[in-house]
Every structure is written in C-alpha cells, then in structure tokens.
Amino acid sequence: MDMTRRGVALGVAGAALAGCAPDGATAFAPPRDRQFPQGFLWGVASSSFQIEGALDADGRGQSIWDVFPRDKIHDGSDAAIANDSYHRYAEDVALIAGAGMNAYRFSIAWPRILPSGAGAVNEAGLDYYSRLIDALLARGVAPYATLFHWDLPLALEGGWANRDTALRFGDYAQVVAERLGDRLKHIVVLNEAAVHAVLGHVYGAHAPGLTDASLMAGAIHHQNLAQGLSIQAMRSVRNDLTIGTTMALMPARTAGGWLGPLHRMAAQGFDEVWNRAFLDPLFLGAYPKIARDMVKSVLREGDMEIVRQPIDFLGVNYYAPTYMRFDLGAPSFLAPADPPAGSELDAFARHVDPSGLHEVLARLRHQYGNPRVYITENGCSDAFSDGPAEIDDQFRIDFLRRHLEAVKSAMEGGSDIGGYFHWTLTDNWEWAEGYRSKFGLVAQDRATGVRTPKASYAWFGNLARTGVLD
Ligand code: GCO
C-alpha cells in the first residue's frame, strides 16, 4: 500500500464509532462559463527540500529529512541535488514567468534561516530567499512562501512532540516577516500538518520516521499552536502581510457493502483526525471529539485562543478522496479501503475524482464560513518510472481541465476562490517515492539538470494568460 498519500488507518480513533459521515461522490454541475476572473492567481507550487539541493551550502543546518534513511525511499535516492534550484532558481523563475503565471508558491527552509532551529540567524540563507523573491518580483510574479513544508531543523530536540518547537516556530516566522516582509507579502504558514503528523509520526513513512501513535497528540496540537503563535508574531511586526495556511483536505468515503454503517463511522473517525483536527481549531476554536480526546494530554489553558487566528486565506491541497472501512483486526477498527471497482486511478492508485475537490470547497463554504481559498496544490504524477518523463502528457492536461472545472463550478456556487497553484513546476524529489514519481509541467534530465517543458506547460501557460479553460 502506498503510504505517502493514500488514506491511512489511524491507530487513534477508538472513539470514532458514532454518527454518520458523507458517503460517495456527488456530481457537480459543469461550469456555466469557462472564463476565470481577472486577477485570478495562476501559479505552481514547490517545496524547499524537494527542489533546492545544496544541503550543505552557505551554513544551512540539517533537517529531519537529511537523515531520513535512504532504504525507506523507493528508488534509494536522496535530495542532495534534486533540481539544484538553490543555484538554478533563475531558470525556475524564467519558466514560471515565461508561461505567463503571476504567482509562485515555494517554501522557505527553516534550517537555512536558523540552522539550529533557534538562535543565530544565518544571513546567507536569508539572502538566497531574498534573491529568489527579487527575481520573481522583477518578472511580475507574486511570491507565496510556505514557512514549513516538513524540513524541520534536526537540532530541535523532540520535534513536534516538544511544545518548545511551537515557540521556536513563532520566532522563526517573526524573523522571516522582519527580514523579508518588505517584499514578501504572502505567507503560507504550514503545509499539510496532517500528512506530516500521521506519515511522519505514526507510520514512519516520512521524516522523522517515527512509529508511535502516542506522538499524534503533540504532532497535531503543537503544529496548530505553532501556526497561531507565528501568525501573532508576524502580525506584531508587520500589518501588510496576507497570511494563510495550507491543508491536505480529503473527503473520507467508504467502500460500501453490507457493513456500510460501520464503514461510514470509520470514515467519520478518519475525517475528524485528518481534516477537522486542523479545520475546526482554526475556524471554530475547538477540536472535534476524537481529536480533543487525543490532544488533551498536551493541551494547555489558553491554547485554543492562540490557535484560532483570523487568516486571510486557506490553502487547499487536493489530490484524491480517501476510502475507509471498518475492520475488526485494524487499530481502532479503522483501515484504508480501495476505491470502488472500476474507478479511474492515478499513478498512486488513488481515485481520480474532481468531484472530491468540489465537495471539499462546498464544505468550506457551508461549514467554515466560506473563507477565501487558494488551491495551493493539485496535480498528478506520470506513471512511476526510473526512466524519462512523459513529455506528451495529455493525461495531465485532462486531469487539470477536469479539476479546474470543479473549481469554477464551486466558484459559481459561491465559493471565494482566488487562485490555483499546480503541483508542480519541474519533476522533483517526491519524498518516499524518490524521483520515480513525476508531477511536473516540466521534465528534468537528472544527469544535466536541463529542464524540458511538457505539453501541459504550454496548456497551463495558455490558461494563465487568457484565464479561459479550453
Ligand atoms: C504533499 C506535498 C508535496 C508533494 C505533492 C505530491 O502534499 O505531499 O505538499 O510535497 O510532493 O503533494 O504528492
């Protein structure tokens, strides 16, 4: 089973067996017109560890991903060079601007700014992002910087299990706001805290590679707390920042069958921990029941006021729905299920289902006060291969078109959606999948680093320039 993206069974939802969860895909109305509004953001997203390389350059400290065992990476690779974007960022910017995109979501590596996670600021690390930001602005591309895309400084003892990490994150965010905020106006605080918490701490499939379900409490709550503290810290030094955060939102569905009601309860348990453990504290100021029971050991008085910060936008990362089933033999009776027979599958064997994106967007509208939303990631991989990329990637164009129809339809239904960032610009190092998974609009020759646009690059560029979904 692919543990990087598939719905995973959580050993955490013993109390999940109550209530009902939404079940199954719901069709959405096709968009009435195919013109996106003026000013809509069209961009690509990336993350520091997946593209930068240059792990030893200019005083960068180690991150938890630097020491993640290579035998847990499917192709045994590492990210020592990746896209070498640390040195070749000007090529990335030229590709982005050359396609007519007006925004770029990248992430800042915390260990480049604060090599020990706290304390002394590394000027050379700041300079790199300063150069990148200047290069983007010079080409009319708005920088959107994620503060934490999983490359936690290794020096922070205990990682997210330790409450102190949340405080240090607040300090780091303040440094970024103070030192880059004159030109960097858009901040994405966290990337997919759920993925980091579950795959990194329960399944060990991602760094820090731990397999201890009791760590979920800290991994969830201390990331939420860090988010709140960092927003407060950044607002205390600048009042002109647009601040949001990004979540991996997945509709939780069931496999059906005669155990249907029990399966639906399993799906609800998953939903509470994966989606609502992050949405509810931020927008509603409280954890849902199962997540609350889980985090109570680390929750302190006053925390929820810090966690519930007004944000300017929510970033939605969407790839696929998840399927869950009740299983007496599984931890807390919760196990992943396969998508229904006959479902169209992506390279990760996940259900290709734009209706799931529409469902997520409708949920935000109905249950969370219709926040301003940017789609901060969406995309699909070429078929897994250690060979070259698929340059004539018609399947990707088709995937994008259908998911953007879901976005436009949600907008016509009243969702406040301001932009779409495709994951990703250039094929890069896909965590536990290594280089065999390729999500880019642009291919990269790994031996030379030379970038070659795929067919989808031209298609997306046309969309970015015209705003018309052909
Ligand atoms: C994630 C990360 C990205 C991935 C992308 C494709 O969501 O896992 O944000 O780093 O590379 O999602 O799986």
Side-chain angles (χ1 to χ4, degrees):
M1 185 180 68
D2 162 44
M3 300 298 279
T4 59
R5 268 299 176 169
R6 284 284 305 274
V8 286
L10 304 173
V12 288
L17 306 180
C20 282
D23 192 19
T26 44
F28 59 88
R32 285 190 296 276
D33 89 76
R34 304 181 75 85
Q35 173 74 57
F36 281 82
Q38 281 281 331
F40 196 79
L41 295 182
W42 296 105
V44 280
S46 71
S47 88
S48 46
F49 198 77
Q50 292 177 274
I51 68 164
E52 286 176 357
L55 302 182
D56 299 325
D58 296 336
R60 175 185 177 279
Q62 283 196 308
S63 83
I64 56 173
W65 273 99
D66 293 49
V67 298
F68 189 68
R70 282 179 62 170
D71 61 12
K72 287 189 165 188
I73 310 298
H74 279 292
D75 60 2
S77 65
D78 62 37
I81 298 177
N83 300 109
D84 198 20
S85 286
Y86 192 77
H87 299 112
R88 303 178 77 141
Y89 68 91
E91 288 175 56
D92 297 346
V93 174
L95 283 163
I96 292 164
M101 297 182 220
N102 55 8
Y104 177 41
R105 173 179 174 235
F106 58 94
S107 82
I108 296 178
W110 183 353
R112 285 201 196 277
I113 309 298
L114 297 158
S116 310
V121 172
N122 176 31
E123 293 297 328
L126 271 173
D127 286 350
Y128 167 64
Y129 295 105
S130 185
R131 291 194 297 277
L132 172 61
I133 291 164
D134 284 345
L136 289 164
L137 293 174
R139 300 290 304 262
V141 179
Y144 278 67
T146 308
L147 296 183
F148 180 63
H149 200 126
W150 308 345
D151 42 1
L152 188 74
L154 187 61
L156 291 173
E157 263 176 50
W160 290 111
N162 184 352
R163 185 180 174 93
D164 195 54
T165 296
L167 308 182
R168 300 293 72 81
F169 184 76
D171 299 342
Y172 154 60
Q174 183 165 330
V175 171
V176 171
E178 280 171 345
R179 301 295 303 279
L180 299 173
D182 56 334
R183 288 153 296 140
L184 174 64
K185 300 299 180 191
H186 310 285
I187 305 281
V188 179
V189 178
L190 299 182
N191 178 72
E192 301 189 352
V195 176
H196 184 60
V198 176
L199 297 189
H201 300 80
V202 182
Y203 287 99
H206 281 188
L210 303 170
T211 50
D212 179 353
S214 74
L215 296 173
M216 279 290 282
I220 290 178
H221 182 63
H222 294 150
Q223 287 192 84
N224 279 331
L225 184 66
Q227 181 169 280
L229 288 168
S230 68
I231 295 172
Q232 289 178 330
M234 291 187 284
R235 298 247 190 258
S236 76
V237 295
R238 292 201 77 94
N239 60 12
D240 61 348
L241 300 178
T242 306
I243 302 177
T245 197
T246 277
M247 298 183 190
L249 299 179
M250 288 202 285
R253 298 188 183 146
T254 72
W258 66 276
L259 280 179
L262 289 174
H263 292 327
R264 280 196 291 279
M265 291 175 212
Q268 188 203 21
F270 178 86
D271 181 50
E272 280 210 21
V273 175
W274 190 270
N275 299 311
R276 293 186 55 198
F278 302 93
L279 285 169
D280 287 25
L282 181 62
F283 288 108
L284 310 176
Y287 283 99
K289 166 106 182 57
I290 296 163
R292 189 166 66 240
D293 289 346
M294 199 187 305
V295 303
K296 64 175 185 257
S297 57
V298 298
L299 192 63
R300 295 206 192 152
E301 209 180 321
D303 280 1
M304 295 317 289
E305 287 72 53
I306 298 170
V307 167
R308 186 184 195 178
Q309 293 296 318
I311 53 165
D312 299 305
F313 65 90
L314 178 70
V316 171
N317 290 359
Y318 176 82
Y319 292 88
T322 189
Y323 290 84
M324 302 300 293
R325 67 189 162 85
F326 173 83
D327 181 344
L328 267 181
S332 303
F333 313 127
L334 245 177
D338 290 327
S343 297
E344 180 185 350
L345 303 180
D346 72 4
F348 285 74
R350 299 170 310 201
H351 188 181
V352 175
D353 184 8
S355 82
L357 176 54
H358 189 269
E359 182 180 328
V360 162
L361 296 170
R363 182 186 205 181
L364 293 171
R365 195 162 78 229
H366 297 306
Q367 293 174 26
Y368 296 97
N370 200 14
R372 175 80 161 166
V373 164
Y374 296 111
I375 310 302
T376 38
E377 284 181 32
N378 174 235
C380 60
S381 174
D382 292 13
F384 287 170
S385 132
D386 293 327
E390 298 175 43
I391 300 295
D392 186 12
D393 57 344
Q394 196 55 44
F395 68 95
R396 180 169 288 109
I397 295 172
D398 182 50
F399 181 100
L400 290 180
R401 181 188 286 117
R402 288 159 62 199
H403 284 77
L404 280 157
E405 284 171 354
V407 171
K408 187 65 169 55
S409 173
M411 291 168 77
E412 291 175 0
S415 289
D416 180 14
I417 303 171
Y420 177 96
F421 295 81
H422 176 259
W423 184 273
T424 183
L425 177 65
T426 305
D427 293 341
N428 60 38
W429 193 73
E430 175 62 22
W431 309 113
E433 302 301 337
Y435 295 101
R436 66 184 192 143
S437 166
K438 303 179 180 71
F439 277 86
L441 300 175
V442 175
Q444 177 192 227
D445 179 327
R446 281 190 54 213
T448 62
V450 168
R451 280 95 156 124
T452 304
K454 304 179 186 177
S456 56
Y457 173 83
W459 182 88
F460 193 68
N462 184 57
L463 176 60
R465 278 186 283 265
T466 63
V468 179
L469 187 56
D470 79 13

